[in-house]
Amino acid sequence: IFLSMTFMPFAMAQETAGSAEKTDKTRNVDPSKEYPTSEMPEDSYLAKFHAIDVAEKLISRNLEQIYLLNVIVQNFDKDGGKKWKGEYDEIYAGYKKAMEYYYKRNIIYSRVELENNREKIRGLMKKMSEQYRDDTQGMLNKCADRILALHLDAKTKSDPNKNDQLFQNQLRLRISYGQFDDAASCFTDNNFEGSLYHFRVAKSYAIRILEDLVEV
């Protein structure tokens, strides 16, 4: 997993650079023609200086978040993956377009595309967080019911294995709810990336509980 995480940004950068190099040979893009007059970004020395700083930060930041989106799209259930695949592909294409401008030294338009890309990333992360929140809440309700059933089982007090099972899963449930609360706080603060990380941890603990207490 670590190798794939470190390799993907490098591979995407290579692919983006290769795409930009190929495009340079086949067409000459004038990015100003893609924007209506009312949306034309300022083109001055100061604007370019500022754009360099913004673009370089977003190149790294957006790529990290695109990797997270890709992991979720690939690993989520089939319906969720299909539902988000189109938006993810659009985000990926937008990032490549921004990098094309960057490599061609159209830095102002690269900044504009990267900022648009950032907002689309945030929008998809919000939708994913809402889905994780709803799914995890439902799973935690089931976890609580199964743990309560184990707690009320007369055999639990006399059986050391069941007693240990109860203790372990009570601990997992507390951790899961703690992560769920942290995720909810992040979501309220519009930190959708943070909420996704916490919701995913909460869901992973809930899954372990349900797998361990499948017969309860």
Side-chain angles (χ1 to χ4, degrees), residues 50-64:
H50 177 65
I52 291 172
D53 182 57
V54 173
E56 289 183 350
K57 290 178 180 177
L58 290 180
I59 284 171
S60 175
R61 185 61 175 156
N62 286 14
L63 187 58
E64 290 176 2

Side-chain angles (χ1 to χ4, degrees), residues 134-156:
D134 295 344
D135 291 350
T136 305
Q137 183 64 73
M139 294 175 70
L140 287 174
N141 291 340
K142 292 180 181 179
C143 290
D145 289 343
R146 294 188 185 184
I147 288 175
L148 178 60
L150 182 62
H151 182 77
L152 296 176
D153 189 339
K155 297 179 181 178
T156 300

Side-chain angles (χ1 to χ4, degrees), residues 43-74:
D43 189 355
S44 66
Y45 175 79
L46 288 177
K48 289 179 180 178
F49 182 80
H50 177 65
I52 291 172
D53 182 57
V54 173
E56 289 183 350
K57 290 178 180 177
L58 290 180
I59 284 171
S60 175
R61 185 61 175 156
N62 286 14
L63 187 58
E64 290 176 2
Q65 295 183 330
I66 287 172
Y67 174 76
L68 174 60
L69 295 179
N70 181 63
V71 170
I72 293 174
V73 168
Q74 295 295 326

Side-chain angles (χ1 to χ4, degrees), residues 138-191:
M139 294 175 70
L140 287 174
N141 291 340
K142 292 180 181 179
C143 290
D145 289 343
R146 294 188 185 184
I147 288 175
L148 178 60
L150 182 62
H151 182 77
L152 296 176
D153 189 339
K155 297 179 181 178
T156 300
K157 288 186 178 181
S158 59
D159 187 337
N161 291 330
K162 282 186 173 293
N163 206 299
D164 182 64
Q165 186 182 39
L166 174 62
F167 174 79
Q168 292 296 330
N169 284 294
Q170 284 177 327
L171 179 60
R172 288 170 180 162
L173 186 61
R174 284 196 292 269
I175 294 173
S176 187
Y177 268 117
Q179 290 293 319
F180 188 91
D181 289 343
D182 289 342
S185 295
C186 287
F187 189 90
T188 300
D189 294 337
N190 293 321
N191 177 8

Side-chain angles (χ1 to χ4, degrees), residues 146-147 150 165 169 208-216:
R146 294 188 185 184
I147 288 175
L150 182 62
Q165 186 182 39
N169 284 294
R208 291 180 65 184
I209 293 171
L210 294 175
E211 290 176 344
D212 192 37
L213 301 181
V214 65
E215 297 180 357
V216 175

Side-chain angles (χ1 to χ4, degrees), residues 29 81 87 90 94 101 108 146-147 165 205 212:
V29 177
E87 289 184 72
E90 183 180 345
Y101 288 154
I108 290 178
R146 294 188 185 184
I147 288 175
Q165 186 182 39
Y205 274 96
D212 192 37

